[in-house]
């Protein structure tokens, strides 16, 4: 019997994140295309390697998902291209980009999924597109 579940952790390398990685088969790395987030991604990748060696040899990386993208900004485009070029041979970089929108923050405030809070919000539609991409990838 196969069980599929998702664990979503805060963007830190605390005990909760370490335990989630220890219990997972794969991780989707979400990255905000900002310089400090990119530097943090390198630390996270090193942590995944350590967890794989010491605790969970089955842990894999499903891919990198770019979130909070401001496609109108040059920085976002440059950093997204840089991630794609840097990792395309080693780690899948998902084609879907989750845009930055106020609706996501509002949905969190009201404790509702963005797709329910604002069904036509660009981020909600992008997450649906990502779900389809992930399912087709998994196969």
């Amino acid at each position: 019997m196969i069980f599929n579940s998702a664990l979503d952790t805060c963007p830190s390398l605390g005990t909760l994140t370490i335990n989630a990685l220890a219990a997972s088969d794969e991780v989707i790395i979400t990255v905000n295309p900002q310089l400090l987030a990119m530097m943090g991604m390198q630390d996270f990748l090193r942590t995944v390697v350590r967890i794989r060696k010491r605790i969970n040899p089955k842990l894999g990386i499903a891919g990198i998902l770019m979130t909070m993208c401001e496609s109108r900004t040059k920085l976002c485009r440059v950093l997204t291209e840089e991630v794609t070029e840097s990792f395309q041979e080693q780690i899948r970089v998902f084609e879907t980009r989750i845009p930055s929108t106020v609706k996501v923050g509002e949905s969190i405030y009201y404790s509702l999924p963005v797709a329910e809070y604002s069904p036509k919000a660009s981020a909600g539609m992008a997450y649906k597109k990502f779900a389809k991409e992930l399912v087709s990838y998994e196969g």
Side-chain angles (χ1 to χ4, degrees):
M1 185 178 291
I2 297 174
F3 294 98
N4 290 318
S5 61
L7 303 171
D8 186 12
T9 63
C10 59
S12 72
L13 292 175
T15 305
L16 178 63
T17 302
I18 300 299
N19 287 334
L21 292 171
S24 298
D25 291 330
E26 285 189 306
V27 61
I28 297 170
I29 302 170
T30 58
V31 180
N32 175 343
Q34 297 291 324
L35 190 57
L36 293 177
M38 297 299 184
M39 292 166 50
M41 182 175 69
Q42 296 296 333
D43 291 338
F44 186 76
L45 290 169
R46 284 190 286 277
T47 299
V48 168
V49 169
R50 275 186 256 142
I51 296 291
R52 189 182 298 139
K53 286 181 181 175
R54 298 179 187 171
I55 300 171
N56 182 0
K58 295 186 297 180
L59 181 62
I61 299 173
I64 298 171
L65 175 64
M66 305 300 288
T67 62
M68 299 173 67
C69 295
E70 282 289 344
S71 59
R72 298 171 299 204
T73 67
K74 183 175 181 176
L75 179 63
C76 178
R77 288 190 304 272
V78 167
L79 291 175
T80 299
E81 288 173 15
E82 191 174 301
V83 166
T84 302
E85 290 172 10
S86 296
F87 294 104
Q88 72 187 60
E89 297 299 321
Q90 304 127 357
I91 302 171
R92 177 187 176 119
V93 178
F94 293 105
E95 290 180 26
T96 304
R97 307 284 184 256
I98 309 300
S100 181
T101 175
V102 132
K103 295 295 182 189
V104 172
E106 290 173 356
S107 71
I108 293 168
Y109 178 79
Y110 292 111
S111 300
L112 293 170
V114 70
E116 186 178 323
Y117 175 74
S118 181
K120 295 186 183 200
S122 58
M125 294 179 356
Y127 275 114
K128 286 179 186 179
K129 180 180 174 191
F130 170 66
K132 290 177 184 176
E133 181 180 0
L134 184 61
V135 167
S136 70
Y137 166 71
E138 295 290 324

